[in-house]
Amino acid sequence: MTVYHFIGIKGSGMSALAQILSDMQYDVQGSDVDKVFFTQKPLEKKGIPLLPFQKENIQEGQTVIASAAYNEENEEIREATNKNIQVHQYPTFLGDFIQQFTSIAITGSHGKTTTTGLMAHVLQDAKPTSYLIGDGTGKGEQGSEYFVFEACEYRRHFLHYNPDYAIMTNIDFDHPDYFKDVEDVFQAFQEMAMQVKKAIIACGDDEHLQKLTAQVPVLYYGFNEDNDFYAKDVTTDENGTHFDAYVRSSFYGSFTIPGYGSHHVLNALSVIALCHYEEVELETIQKRLQTFQGVKRRFSEKTFGNQVLIDDYAHHPTEISATIESAKQKYPEKEIIAIFQPHTFSRTKTFLDEFANSLKSADRVYLCDIFSSAREKSGDLTINDLLERIPDAEQIHEDTMYRLLRHDQGVLLFMGAGDVQKFQAAYEKTAEKEGA
């Protein structure tokens, strides 16, 4: 049997794909740097060999898949070239792999990961479903009918895919190190739309997505009643968010989701629309939406004494606003504290004012230093540029986390795409030492 060898297996997409192939009984191994990443835990659990980078890992007869993060400077890629072994780039391999299923690409500037997890959770109760989530989660079901996967727009990677369906959650300007402006982002999505084979399900409340042209039907969802699928009568309580869904002005069903915030209702609507199109039973959709537990690093909560600690990947102003809105709806009586680590100098500089405005909706704001790769130059930007735009905001370090003890009944939102978890870990250590 062919051995699948993954170069850079600890990457979130790579890890998820390796898990899928392993579940489908293929022989899988991979290599990466020695540093520990959360994505390796499920690989170790499945007994997938994790090797250090070395040319000896490359053998004749393997199918070699490489992360986009590695090129000819990597000794394994050079060795494969020397042995005339084809190296499949991750997006290219995935684009070919999905063709054996009814494939559902989940894309958009925000909400991809949660929507992918939600779609997989609902569909797998209807028919055998495999899925690949951008948080490093992958599951391969033998005899799968559906393949649900997160399709990232960064560097136009999603143009490697020709899916049956595409869910498009929104279009926003992000990744300023690659995209020029929001029009450039839109053009990428427009190209993606032309590659979809059956139908596109897009958020009609998004002004950019309204301009899409495609060769397949485009079904719109949202709160506006002009959409094909829309939500009305939204209410919240301690059990979550409740709403009624309509299909082209006809009442379809009442739904409950555990999440809070309008973005969660929109994510659920996109799933309802796809399932309706694929004739999944209403009762199945209702039952599964209600039991979704979320995905890694998306509003991941834990009770800590009298406080609630939340770890969230939010690293764009729109995402920060949505996360704070969720916290306020779920905990209306509590103080909401934002602890934010900006991710990359280029994003921080581009969205400086927008970051400040979104963070101001929290009751108090603490800022960690900007997380950036060694390759990125800071220019003259520092965390102070953001601090001075937010009244009463304070900078916080791992050794000054004791300041958060003053919010003894608060909800602490640790937000960022870098290593903001280390600040939460430092806080928990400090609090336990202080006997809080």
Side-chain angles (χ1 to χ4, degrees), residues 181-325:
D181 50 29
V182 73
E183 187 55 35
D184 190 21
V185 181
F186 172 76
Q187 288 305 327
F189 278 85
Q190 177 56 59
E191 283 181 65
M192 169 61 161
M194 298 304 284
Q195 298 181 183
V196 179
K197 295 189 287 194
K198 280 190 182 175
I200 295 167
I201 293 162
C203 182
D205 295 352
D206 185 288
E207 57 175 335
H208 302 292
L209 287 171
Q210 279 282 5
K211 297 184 288 188
L212 276 182
T213 56
Q215 295 167 314
V216 295
V218 180
L219 307 173
Y220 284 109
Y221 66 90
F223 292 104
N224 191 311
E225 294 184 16
D226 292 340
N227 290 302
D228 300 294
F229 296 80
Y230 60 87
K232 270 181 80 171
D233 303 318
V234 181
T235 60
T236 60
D237 59 23
E238 68 278 3
N239 297 315
T241 303
H242 315 278
F243 64 92
D244 291 337
Y246 288 76
V247 181
R248 299 180 189 88
S249 304
S250 298
F251 174 74
Y252 176 55
S254 298
F255 297 87
T256 295
I257 55 174
Y260 294 81
S262 55
H263 57 297
H264 283 298
V265 177
L266 290 172
N267 294 345
L269 272 176
S270 73
V271 173
I272 291 165
L274 184 283
C275 289
H276 182 272
Y277 201 83
E278 278 285 299
E279 299 180 348
V280 175
E281 289 183 6
L282 170 62
E283 292 75 17
T284 298
I285 308 169
Q286 288 170 319
K287 180 183 73 177
R288 297 297 283 183
L289 283 178
Q290 200 163 354
T291 58
F292 181 56
Q293 295 298 306
V295 293
K296 292 175 201 157
R297 296 224 56 223
R298 303 304 188 277
F299 213 79
S300 302
E301 298 179 66
K302 71 184 285 188
T303 303
F304 190 72
N306 294 324
Q307 295 175 320
V308 177
L309 310 187
I310 296 172
D311 174 34
D312 196 276
Y313 190 68
H315 60 290
H316 182 282
T318 303
E319 295 163 357
I320 289 168
S321 296
T323 302
I324 294 172
E325 182 201 357

Side-chain angles (χ1 to χ4, degrees), residues 118-147:
L118 183 60
M119 183 72 76
H121 179 72
V122 174
L123 277 181
Q124 64 187 331
D125 205 47
K127 287 184 179 165
T129 301
S130 295
Y131 54 87
L132 187 155
I133 307 177
D135 66 354
T137 304
K139 185 184 177 198
E141 197 72 62
Q142 288 187 291
S144 280
E145 182 163 328
Y146 293 114
F147 190 91

Side-chain angles (χ1 to χ4, degrees), residues 90-103:
Y90 164 79
T92 312
F93 181 89
L94 183 59
D96 291 336
F97 183 73
I98 63 172
Q99 297 308 319
Q100 57 192 300
F101 313 99
T102 297
S103 54

Side-chain angles (χ1 to χ4, degrees), residues 53-64:
F53 286 134
Q54 52 191 13
K55 66 179 187 178
E56 289 76 18
N57 294 336
I58 305 298
Q59 300 294 331
E60 302 287 349
Q62 290 176 341
T63 296
V64 178

